[in-house]
């Protein structure tokens, strides 16, 4: 199993390895630039890929590109809540979630990837708007993640940017496998 999977059933045990791997993938890139670039990158994937290929599973039991884009949209909604909680509350509790449970419960296999992309982009734009206005004091704010412990806002930003890169790599791999 990939370190990037971070299943909810073992999240506490795998959290440190997941964080290290995601931040290593981000490297010295500017997290805000990565966050700004993901929506346009996803748009080029959707526009440049055969619509039927977007829905093909990488392998049995694996996701399609459409699944990955819907996951990014849902993850952005979760992140929107977390960012707002951290900005508005002292030491806000931040819950984790099981991405595979979301995929099953929210019928990822039925979602049009163009619709998922629109949802992602609206949420991402709203989140960037808030973060671009964050003050130095805002950047010192902390949330307490149920699986990962204390997280300052800059760390949350870096993790989300790294998360984007994880799924960009996944999407590239899926396209290569189904084309």
């Amino acid at each position: 199993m990939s370190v990037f999977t971070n299943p909810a059933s073992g999240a506490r045990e795998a959290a440190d390895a997941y964080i290290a791997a995601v931040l290593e993938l981000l490297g010295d890139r500017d997290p805000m630039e990565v966050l700004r670039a993901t929506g346009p990158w996803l748009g080029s994937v959707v526009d440049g890929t055969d619509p039927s290929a977007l829905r093909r599973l990488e392998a049995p039991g694996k996701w399609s590109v459409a699944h990955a884009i819907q996951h990014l949209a849902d993850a952005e909604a979760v992140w929107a809540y977390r960012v707002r909680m951290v900005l508005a509350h002292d030491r806000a509790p931040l819950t984790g979630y099981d991405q595979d449970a979301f995929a099953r419960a929210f019928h990822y296999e039925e979602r049009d990837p163009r619709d998922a992309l629109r949802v992602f982009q609206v949420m991402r734009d709203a989140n960037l708007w808030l973060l671009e206005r964050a003050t130095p004091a805002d950047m010192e704010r902390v949330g307490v993640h149920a699986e990962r412990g204390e997280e300052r806002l800059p760390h949350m930003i870096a993790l989300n940017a790294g998360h984007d890169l994880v799924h960009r790599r996944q999407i590239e791999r899926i396209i290569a496998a189904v084309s």
Side-chain angles (χ1 to χ4, degrees):
M1 178 179 302
S2 168
V3 69
F4 296 118
T5 303
N6 197 29
S9 62
R12 283 192 189 274
E13 298 77 21
D16 289 341
Y18 173 78
I19 290 168
V22 168
L23 294 178
E24 182 179 334
L25 187 57
L26 179 63
D28 61 0
R29 294 181 184 131
D30 178 340
M32 291 293 287
E33 288 303 316
V34 171
L35 294 174
R36 285 185 198 99
T38 299
W41 184 86
L42 289 170
S44 70
V45 166
V46 169
D47 290 343
T49 306
D50 174 18
S52 66
L54 294 173
R55 293 184 175 280
R56 275 190 218 117
L57 299 177
E58 179 179 16
K62 297 284 190 177
W63 283 0
S64 68
V65 171
H67 282 88
I69 295 171
Q70 183 59 52
H71 165 69
L72 285 166
D74 282 342
E76 196 67 17
V78 170
W79 196 58
Y81 173 77
R82 290 175 179 169
V83 166
R84 284 156 179 77
M85 291 298 290
V86 168
L87 287 172
H89 300 282
D90 290 333
R91 298 183 53 77
L94 307 174
T95 59
Y97 69 99
D98 181 331
Q99 67 182 17
D100 294 318
F102 270 38
R104 285 187 304 275
F106 306 148
H107 311 284
Y108 281 15
E109 71 283 355
E110 296 176 22
R111 186 70 170 176
D112 183 316
R114 291 181 190 281
D115 291 340
L117 176 57
R118 280 191 289 276
V119 170
F120 170 83
Q121 195 61 62
V122 166
M123 295 297 300
R124 177 58 56 91
D125 289 346
N127 290 333
L128 289 171
W129 189 88
L130 280 178
L131 294 173
E132 288 163 351
R133 286 153 182 78
T135 66
D138 290 335
M139 295 306 251
E140 294 300 318
R141 297 189 65 79
V142 172
V144 183
H145 193 284
E147 297 159 355
R148 301 188 297 248
E150 285 189 0
E151 293 184 340
R152 283 181 49 243
L153 188 55
H155 179 74
M156 293 170 61
I157 293 167
L159 280 179
N160 204 44
H163 178 260
D164 280 7
L165 296 174
V166 167
H167 289 291
R168 285 174 64 160
R169 282 185 10 175
Q170 176 193 32
I171 289 168
E172 289 170 342
R173 186 184 71 234
I174 294 168
I175 290 170
V178 302
S179 296

